[in-house]
């Protein structure tokens, strides 16, 4: 069945034709595509069209599509059964790898998505501190959990307004929202509510307002102020974990949070999330402690082996310098081509993740990110798609480079991107 027919049928039986809103291409216009196959850095749609892929399933596929070691491990495991509902050996192995690789984690609990990870991390923080308030940053996305799906109220340290119907004000009101990279706003929130703040949750490198790096010293400042007030610091490393280094952003910036949330790369393309921290802190999680959290399919053996093979490959090969060089090459070339065409833009890049903003302003928080010309972004996206390059179908997201984007593929991608930019 072709793309168009599949989308028509999807619209009959799935809200908006999708299982996650951004897949409907509302932010860029045009009909969404249905993907049927991926190999290395390429994907194919239901019409048989091929694309060089910088979406990478929104980040998990740092080794590219259908990496042979991951596929083999999954196939072998499927033969032995899909789920047992009791402990299996691969959970232990994946936990050992996480503990070995992520500096601040001594014990870890696996869940099935990034959302579950952040939800459980906030529960743990509230449970341990006996406090209710959560401080988050405008434009940071932590999944669709009620307490975290709150966008900014205007002004600084205002109590949040719900980001969606279905979240009562009483719940949204427990979330404080301040601008990313704004130390003064954080200080003010703590001076007003410090004794009630259970935790600060942050993407150490923001990836969901487009890529926005932390200002020099910002993460260390968060570490210090949370300690001062007895609040916990949560790093949501669902994107940055295993993406920016073997130990994520915390290893790169040398700041250790109390709780780390993981997902995406951790499952190597399968649905896996996790939260972890010190032995002492994690001893509060049931059944060791009183903070309850559970999952029928958590630690699923097939998902675990995909994670094990992915992390082993990253630990053993440490491809980070190479990934960063390649991403630099792509982003620099895109920037040069846009400049030649006289199009105002900013590219923020950290390691192998970057975002092209169509603005002449520096982008350091959500307000400045929103200065990007999203109409132009939509046009850029559609032109790229037409030329055979897939990037995230929304402005406030990251492009990802994988180990499967070899030099020759980058050449090819840049040539396609050049064709697209010419027609902008
Ligand atoms: C993707 C993402 C999540 C949510 O993960 P899901 O698996 O989609 O629930 C949470 N935090 C960050 C930083 C993310 O990028």
């Amino acid at each position: 069945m072709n793309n168009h027919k599949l989308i028509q049928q999807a619209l009959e039986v799935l809200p908006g034709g999708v299982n996650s809103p951004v897949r409907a291409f509302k932010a860029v216009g045009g009909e969404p595509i249905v993907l049927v196959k991926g190999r290395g850095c390429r994907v194919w749609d239901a019409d048989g069209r091929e694309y060089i892929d910088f979406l990478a399933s929104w980040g998990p596929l740092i080794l590219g599509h259908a990496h042979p070691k991951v596929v083999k491990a999954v196939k072998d495991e499927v033969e032995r059964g899909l789920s047992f509902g009791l402990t299996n050996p691969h959970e232990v192995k994946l936990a050992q790898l996480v503990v070995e690789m992520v500096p601040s984690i001594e014990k870890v609990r696996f869940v099935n998505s990034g959302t579950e990870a952040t939800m459980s991390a906030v529960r743990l923080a509230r449970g341990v501190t006996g406090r209710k308030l959560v401080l988050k940053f405008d434009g940071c996305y932590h999944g669709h959990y009620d307490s975290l799906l709150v966008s900014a109220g205007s002004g600084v340290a205002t109590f949040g307004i719900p980001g969606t119907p279905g979240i009562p004000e009483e719940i949204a009101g427990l979330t404080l929202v301040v601008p990313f990279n704004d130390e003064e706003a954080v200080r003010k929130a703590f001076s007003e509510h410090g004794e009630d703040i259970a935790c600060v949750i942050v993407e150490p490198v923001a990836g969901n307002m487009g890529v926005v790096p932390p200002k020099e010293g910002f993460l260390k400042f968060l570490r210090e102020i949370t300690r001062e007030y007895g609040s916990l610091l949560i790093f949501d490393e669902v994107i940055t974990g295993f993406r920016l280094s073997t130990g994520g952003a915390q290893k790169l910036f040398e700041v250790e949070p109390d709780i780390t949330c993981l997902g995406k790369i951790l499952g190597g393309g399968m649905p896996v999330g996790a939260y972890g921290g010190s032995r002492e802190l994690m001893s509060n999680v049931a059944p060791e402690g009183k903070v309850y959290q559970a999952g029928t399919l958590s630690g699923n053996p097939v998902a675990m082996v995909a994670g094990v093979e992915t992390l082993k490959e990253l630990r053993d090969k440490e491809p980070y310098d190479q990934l960063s060089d390649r991403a630099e090459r792509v982003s620099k070339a895109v920037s040069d081509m846009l400049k030649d065409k006289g199009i105002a833009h900013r590219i923020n890049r950290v390691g192998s993740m970057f975002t092209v903003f169509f603005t002449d302003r520096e982008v350091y928080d959500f307000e400045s990110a929103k200065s990007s010309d999203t109409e132009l972004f939509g046009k850029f996206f559609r032109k790229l798609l037409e030329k055979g390059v897939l990037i995230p179908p929304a402005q406030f997201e990251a492009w990802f480079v994988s180990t499967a984007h070899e030099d020759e593929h980058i050449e090819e991608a840049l040539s396609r991107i050049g064709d697209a930019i010419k027609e902008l």
Side-chain angles (χ1 to χ4, degrees):
M1 205 179 307
N2 71 23
N3 207 79
H4 179 68
K5 278 211 184 101
L6 281 163
I7 293 293
Q8 292 308 308
Q9 291 193 359
L11 285 165
E12 294 291 316
V13 288
L14 299 166
V18 295
N19 285 303
S20 200
V22 74
R23 297 179 193 169
F25 284 23
K26 293 270 190 249
V28 288
E31 188 169 74
I33 54 173
V34 178
L35 295 180
V36 295
K37 190 174 103 173
R39 278 282 179 290
C41 68
R42 294 175 202 274
V43 289
W44 284 264
D45 73 11
D47 292 343
R49 296 202 58 214
E50 171 264 334
Y51 308 87
I52 297 177
D53 180 21
F54 293 101
L55 173 62
S57 187
W58 305 91
L61 302 181
I62 194 166
L63 304 178
H65 292 268
H67 186 277
K69 283 188 183 164
V70 177
V71 170
K72 180 171 187 317
V74 166
K75 275 187 174 165
D76 289 351
E77 195 53 34
V78 164
E79 293 288 334
R80 283 187 276 270
L82 296 180
S83 177
F84 306 115
L86 292 178
T87 300
N88 69 73
H90 312 297
E91 295 169 80
V92 185
K93 181 71 213 173
L94 188 58
Q96 287 168 339
L97 281 164
V98 169
V99 167
E100 179 191 330
M101 292 168 77
V102 183
S104 68
I105 298 186
E106 292 177 335
K107 274 194 178 178
V108 63
R109 168 63 60 82
F110 292 117
V111 293
N112 304 291
S113 68
T115 297
E116 264 189 84
T118 58
M119 175 181 82
S120 309
V122 168
R123 180 180 304 147
L124 177 59
R126 284 173 165 158
V128 168
T129 59
R131 302 174 180 182
K132 289 180 187 165
L133 301 185
V134 174
L135 188 138
K136 77 174 285 286
F137 295 92
D138 187 18
C140 278
Y141 178 70
H142 304 292
H144 62 88
Y145 168 48
D146 287 2
S147 284
L148 298 173
L149 195 67
V150 177
S151 60
S154 55
V156 167
T158 44
F159 277 99
I161 49 158
T164 168
I167 301 180
E169 295 100 84
E170 288 85 348
I171 293 183
L174 297 176
T175 302
L176 299 162
V177 183
V178 297
F180 189 67
N181 271 329
D182 189 340
E183 291 192 14
E184 217 26 70
V186 175
R187 223 177 258 121
K188 184 158 179 282
F190 269 98
S191 74
E192 285 168 13
H193 309 287
E195 309 299 311
D196 300 317
I197 296 177
C199 59
V200 171
I201 184 167
V202 66
E203 293 181 74
V205 171
N208 288 291
M209 49 182 116
V211 172
V212 179
K215 282 187 179 159
E216 175 86 40
F218 183 63
L219 298 175
K220 282 205 172 73
F221 160 77
L222 294 180
R223 179 63 286 180
E224 280 157 20
I225 197 161
T226 45
R227 273 222 178 98
E228 187 186 329
Y229 282 89
S231 307
L232 299 185
L233 179 60
I234 303 176
F235 275 5
D236 180 352
E237 296 227 42
V238 170
I239 289 183
T240 54
F242 315 108
R243 162 70 56 189
L244 297 182
S245 79
T246 50
Q250 56 193 267
K251 190 169 170 188
L252 192 66
F253 293 97
E254 298 179 325
V255 177
E256 294 195 11
D258 298 299
I259 308 177
T260 302
C261 299
L262 297 167
K264 297 197 169 111
I265 292 174
L266 176 66
M270 299 289 276
V272 182
Y275 61 105
S278 69
R279 249 167 224 287
E280 192 194 344
L281 187 64
M282 294 303 286
S283 72
N284 292 290
V285 176
E288 245 175 272
K290 288 189 178 147
V291 180
Y292 192 76
Q293 183 274 311
T296 303
L297 291 171
S298 294
N300 173 270
V302 184
M304 292 291 109
V305 296
V308 167
E309 288 309 313
T310 302
L311 294 204
K312 277 201 319 210
E313 189 72 6
L314 294 170
R315 179 195 61 184
D316 297 345
K317 301 228 167 107
E318 290 206 44
Y320 297 99
D321 288 344
Q322 193 189 47
L323 282 170
S324 187
D325 288 349
R326 288 178 184 168
E328 162 76 15
R329 214 176 131 211
V330 178
S331 62
K332 172 119 196 348
V334 171
S335 178
D336 288 346
M337 291 188 274
L338 288 170
K339 205 178 292 161
D340 283 349
K341 183 88 181 167
I343 296 174
H345 65 281
R346 284 276 170 165
I347 299 184
N348 280 356
R349 182 184 67 83
V350 180
S352 57
M353 55 194 276
F354 64 90
T355 300
V356 182
F357 296 97
F358 294 104
T359 176
D360 47 17
R361 287 178 63 186
E362 189 196 340
V363 175
Y364 54 87
D365 64 6
F366 196 32
E367 274 311 303
S368 48
K370 282 191 284 196
S371 70
S372 187
D373 181 346
T374 51
E375 289 279 322
L376 183 56
F377 176 83
K379 204 168 161 202
F380 183 50
F381 172 87
R382 293 192 303 273
K383 275 288 164 208
L384 287 174
L385 200 69
E386 190 187 308
K387 304 296 178 191
V389 176
L390 179 63
I391 67 166
Q395 169 69 77
F396 304 108
E397 305 288 349
W399 301 34
F400 295 107
V401 172
S402 75
T403 57
H405 289 91
E406 293 173 14
D407 290 335
E408 66 199 86
H409 307 127
I410 289 179
E411 271 323 307
E412 197 181 349
L414 288 176
S415 149
R416 295 181 188 185
I417 295 169
D419 291 346
I421 290 177
K422 268 187 219 127
E423 292 177 22
L424 269 187

